[in-house]
Amino acid sequence: MTGGEIIIEETGERFIQLPTDGSILRAALRAGIGFPYECSSGGCGSCRFRPISGEFVDLAENPGGLSERDKRKGVRLACQSSAIGDVSISVSTRREFVPKHSFARFEANLTQVRDLTSDMREFTFQGPTAAMFIPGQYALIEGPEGMTRCYSMSNLPNNGGEWHFIIKRVAGGHFSNWLFGLEVGESVTIDGPIGLAHVSETSQRDVICIAGGSGLAPIISIARALASEQDTERLIHVFYGGRTPADICGEDYLSGFACWGERLRFHSVVSDEEAAKAAGWSGEIGFVHNSVISRFGDRVRDHEIYFAGPPPMATALQTALMIEMKVPFEQIHFDRFF
Ligand SMILES: Cc1cc2nc3c(=O)[nH]c(=O)nc-3n(C[C@H](O)[C@H](O)[C@H](O)COP(=O)(O)OP(=O)(O)OC[C@H]3O[C@@H](n4cnc5c(N)ncnc54)[C@H](O)[C@@H]3O)c2cc1C
Ligand code: FES
């Protein structure tokens, strides 16, 4: 049985990992500890820690977030490790990682599904209490045999307890295929909210939101939050990149806002030129990061920028924005969907 008391050597902070907590990271965040993290999926390496004493178990084999050097030094990932009994660890906790809303597990009932494309589906779950999160955040959904994956909310926080997700069915993907088999009326366990790539509560800059493929949900949530703002003239540009015209969706989530076509604009880009021509696509063809840079040029630096999607898209955007265009890091917020 996993679980025990975890002591952080640097600060003396202590917290309990219960068998239901899933990982050391989830136990720490639940206890309100500012444990560093980004993806909760083993991909980014942000939650690395050094074991000092005690026993640990791996939740995944060879997670991409650990280098060979890390493995040789015995470094572990908190999102992919559980304690067996009491342990002590070394990690630098920071206030910015403390969850802003309580991070909690609850049962939620699937009340509605809606297909957006042949492989993208919106799922609506009903939770027991108000759905409190910051637009751009995500939750962990638990499935059979201990499988857990992260999914970003696409709606806005609400007192009615609704959690909306837009999920892409991955060919051969274990979890997404299980989710697409769920019937209305069935329940899942949700653990959330967490995530740091959420809408800024202070910035007043114009905004560029960029989603690729499965990255649509958090971008729609952020755009909805910004489009709901009153007494502002700031512009919100939403870019969505898909492979073919049949993959493009999401515009209808935003077209009902009063500011649609004025301060809120949607740009879609497809990358497969042959498929675009075959479908008679008259819109833009190319990669979404190039589309953003060619439209804004140096003015990209005047914006608050949010993006979400597969790691190759995120890497292309990081290179273009941070290295080539020198956009200040604090204006860029992103989630990589490992
Ligand atoms: C922060 C974040 C937000 C995301 N939001 C969305 C979203 O809004 N919509 C969407 O469609 N997708 C989202 N994803 C991707 C999603 O979590 C899944 O990776 C995706 O649905 C494919 O899962 P799968 O099981 O079908 O595919 P698979 O290919 O079977 O698995 C996907 C990945 O999960 C890894 N994995 C295996 N075991 C574990 C484990 N125990 N814990 C964690 N990972 C494991 C595998 O190594 C593989 O790389 C998000 C990912 C992250 C990190
Ligand atoms: S948060 Fe653990 S590897 Fe990303």
Side-chain angles (χ1 to χ4, degrees):
M1 171 103 69
T2 59
E5 186 181 44
I6 294 152
I7 303 175
I8 298 178
E9 190 185 56
E10 285 83 347
T11 57
E13 290 166 289
R14 294 162 178 261
F15 58 98
I16 303 287
Q17 185 194 346
L18 298 172
T20 49
D21 274 323
S23 68
I24 290 177
L25 176 66
R26 286 159 72 181
L29 297 177
R30 212 180 306 292
I33 307 262
F35 207 113
Y37 75 98
E38 179 197 317
C39 70
S40 311
S41 300
C44 72
S46 304
C47 64
R48 293 201 306 277
F49 72 89
R50 199 164 51 82
I52 305 287
S53 66
E55 268 188 76
F56 301 85
V57 66
D58 290 327
L59 302 175
E61 277 176 37
N62 284 324
L66 277 184
S67 66
E68 287 307 315
R69 188 158 176 263
D70 288 331
K71 287 183 212 161
R72 278 197 305 277
K73 290 175 128 187
V75 169
R76 306 187 67 95
L77 296 176
C79 70
Q80 301 301 328
S81 300
S82 277
I84 304 182
D86 297 346
V87 301
S88 75
I89 66 174
S90 168
V91 66
S92 297
T93 56
R94 291 220 304 268
R95 189 185 291 267
E96 73 207 62
F97 295 108
V98 173
K100 296 196 171 68
H101 289 289
S102 94
F103 174 58
R105 281 175 93 232
F106 56 89
E107 288 292 301
N109 192 258
L110 180 62
T111 55
Q112 205 176 320
V113 292
R114 177 168 82 95
D115 285 331
L116 309 186
T117 67
S118 61
D119 61 1
M120 293 273 275
R121 180 174 289 179
E122 181 193 66
F123 293 76
T124 301
F125 289 96
Q126 178 65 50
T129 56
M132 286 300 137
F133 56 87
I134 312 173
Q137 287 196 296
Y138 64 92
L140 292 102
I141 301 183
E142 299 179 4
E145 295 161 16
M147 278 199 299
T148 302
R149 296 286 187 275
C150 303
Y151 294 101
S152 311
M153 283 68 80
S154 59
N155 60 334
L156 293 175
N158 60 91
N159 288 326
E162 279 197 7
W163 298 72
H164 296 195
F165 302 94
I166 300 172
I167 297 176
K168 186 177 178 72
R169 183 177 205 150
V170 175
H174 295 95
F175 202 91
S176 55
N177 281 284
W178 173 76
L179 276 171
F180 271 67
L182 281 182
E183 304 272 351
V184 167
E186 291 190 83
S187 292
V188 297
T189 302
I190 295 180
D191 204 2
I194 53 172
L196 307 164
H198 53 69
V199 69
S200 162
E201 284 151 344
T202 52
S203 167
Q204 287 306 313
R205 290 186 189 88
D206 289 347
V207 174
I208 302 173
C209 293
I210 310 154
S214 56
L216 188 64
I219 292 306
I220 290 294
S221 181
I222 289 169
R224 282 171 149 170
L226 296 166
S228 310
E229 287 180 343
Q230 304 292 320
D231 301 325
T232 174
E233 293 187 354
R234 68 169 161 160
L235 299 175
I236 311 152
H237 289 272
V238 179
F239 286 78
Y240 185 55
R243 200 175 63 75
T244 74
D247 298 323
I248 298 299
C249 58
E251 194 169 331
D252 62 329
Y253 285 108
L254 305 176
S255 55
F257 281 93
C259 58
W260 174 250
E262 291 173 16
R263 66 181 193 90
L264 174 61
R265 298 171 196 176
F266 189 89
H267 315 274
S268 43
V269 191
V270 301
S271 58
D272 184 332
E273 194 172 344
E274 249 176 57
K277 283 185 181 149
W281 172 256
S282 57
E284 208 172 326
I285 298 175
F287 289 111
V288 70
H289 64 282
N290 290 331
S291 171
V292 171
I293 302 301
S294 66
R295 189 175 291 261
F296 291 96
D298 287 344
R299 288 185 301 115
V300 77
R301 284 194 284 276
D302 303 333
H303 292 77
E304 203 73 21
I305 303 174
Y306 300 90
F307 59 89
M313 181 204 86
T315 304
L317 276 164
Q318 281 173 287
T319 307
L321 297 171
M322 294 174 172
I323 298 172
E324 291 162 12
M325 301 308 292
K326 309 236 173 329
V327 179
F329 285 12
E330 60 275 16
Q331 284 168 227
I332 301 178
H333 318 263
F334 63 90
D335 265 329
R336 295 172 285 177
F337 287 8
F338 293 104

